[in-house]
Amino acid sequence: VLVTRSLLAIVAVVLLTVLHVNRRKFSAHRSLKMLLDWHSFWIYLICFPLIADYAWTAVTLFTMKSPSDLIVTDVQCVWRAIIICLCIYGSVCSMFAMSIERYRASTEFATYEKSYKNYGYKLAIGHLIFNQIKSRNQSNVL
């Protein structure tokens, strides 16, 4: 399970990097491109801690002397979980912002390309505010 999840996270980072490098070839509205950048940021933030966490767990499994070596403290458990939870909130919020942007693009197809330039920025700011609210609610629960 650790190897599979680690490999999937590594593949996601590689594919996302290839997509980001070839972004100039991708023809889309500048609002969508900016929101895709935010989504890429959150996916990177999900993948790197996952890879580090799985690597740490694998090292612990290979070097443990007794099964009690696998037990972590409550603080370690919270930090491992909260980083991933915050990144998932950010990813979901960025997908929500992209869906709003795509909905607006499809409903106003004739005039969308002439729409004002700040629309993507407003969605990105709204996405960050919503993510902060959800993060604060999550940290109050923990």
Side-chain angles (χ1 to χ4, degrees):
V1 173
L2 288 175
V3 173
T4 305
R5 288 183 178 179
S6 298
L7 288 176
L8 287 174
I10 291 169
V11 167
V13 167
V14 168
L15 291 177
L16 194 59
T17 304
V18 169
L19 178 70
H20 193 66
V21 167
N22 295 320
R23 192 175 71 117
R24 295 194 191 275
K25 299 175 186 176
F26 182 63
S27 65
H29 194 269
R30 59 190 165 271
S31 297
L32 179 61
K33 286 182 180 179
M34 189 192 60
L35 291 171
L36 282 172
D37 286 342
W38 275 108
H39 188 65
S40 299
F41 169 75
W42 289 112
I43 297 299
Y44 278 127
L45 282 182
I46 290 172
C47 290
F48 288 126
L50 278 178
I51 293 168
D53 187 36
Y54 295 147
W56 181 261
T57 303
V59 167
T60 305
L61 282 170
F62 290 126
T63 60
M64 71 178 187
K65 293 182 176 64
S66 69
S68 65
D69 292 343
L70 291 174
I71 298 173
V72 295
T73 65
D74 55 348
V75 174
Q76 289 174 327
C77 187
V78 166
W79 277 110
R80 288 171 118 176
I82 200 162
I83 292 170
I84 303 300
C85 287
L86 294 179
C87 294
I88 290 172
Y89 282 136
S91 175
V92 169
C93 292
S94 66
M95 286 189 291
F96 182 65
M98 280 190 289
S99 67
I100 291 171
E101 195 270 344
R102 291 290 86 201
Y103 174 76
R104 178 150 185 240
S106 62
T107 57
E108 299 176 11
F109 181 71
T111 59
Y112 184 72
E113 289 302 320
K114 298 174 187 170
S115 67
Y116 52 95
K117 297 177 183 178
N118 296 332
Y119 182 64
Y121 293 108
K122 288 180 182 177
L123 283 175
I125 290 169
H127 143 254
L128 290 174
I129 291 170
F130 184 72
N131 188 37
Q132 286 298 319
I133 292 169
K134 291 297 288 180
S135 299
R136 291 182 195 275
N137 289 342
Q138 180 67 19
S139 63
N140 289 339
V141 170
L142 295 175

